[in-house]
Amino acid sequence: MSGAGDEPFIAAVKPLVDAMGGEMIPPDEAGPDDVVLAWEGRDAVAVRLPQLADSLDHILAAMERRKGMPLADLDRRAKQEVVRVLEARGAFSVRHGVETVASALGVSRFTVYNYLNREKGA
């Protein structure tokens, strides 16, 4: 994927790429929508960013790992906090975002909208 001197750089950016749900590919395989990262004047690695809907699934899975349980098992207050965090990250601008989040939380779309409206009214 890279030259021998690029490994520390690639190792450094890998957690970020993983957290975004991206994929690291050789720079010479990069397409027009991929992001090529240079290190010490040379292209070191390309990052293929996920589609927004895939990013939301990835974010939800990461939140479950951090909470140590399925999001549907959280109490109401914790679910409201999840909705606040997801709103701040733009999750509800993604097509079917509310439905995806509602499913992950084990609540109805109506409940997610209530959580969102509660925040706006607070």
Side-chain angles (χ1 to χ4, degrees), residues 3-55:
D6 298 334
E7 279 82 13
F9 174 73
I10 292 171
V13 298
K14 185 173 183 347
L16 176 62
V17 174
D18 290 346
M20 295 182 326
E23 176 187 0
M24 297 174 82
I25 59 174
D28 59 346
E29 294 178 19
D33 294 330
D34 297 328
V35 179
V36 177
L37 303 177
W39 178 248
E40 296 182 347
R42 292 187 7 253
D43 291 345
V45 66
V47 178
R48 181 156 293 153
L49 300 172
Q51 298 298 310
L52 284 176
D54 295 338
S55 290

Side-chain angles (χ1 to χ4, degrees), residues 59 63 66-67 78-92 116 119:
I59 290 167
M63 292 181 94
R66 271 197 300 279
K67 299 285 185 187
K79 288 179 182 181
Q80 290 170 335
E81 176 62 24
V82 166
V83 168
R84 274 195 295 276
V85 169
L86 292 171
E87 181 181 30
R89 294 186 73 177
F92 302 110
L116 289 167
E119 275 305 301

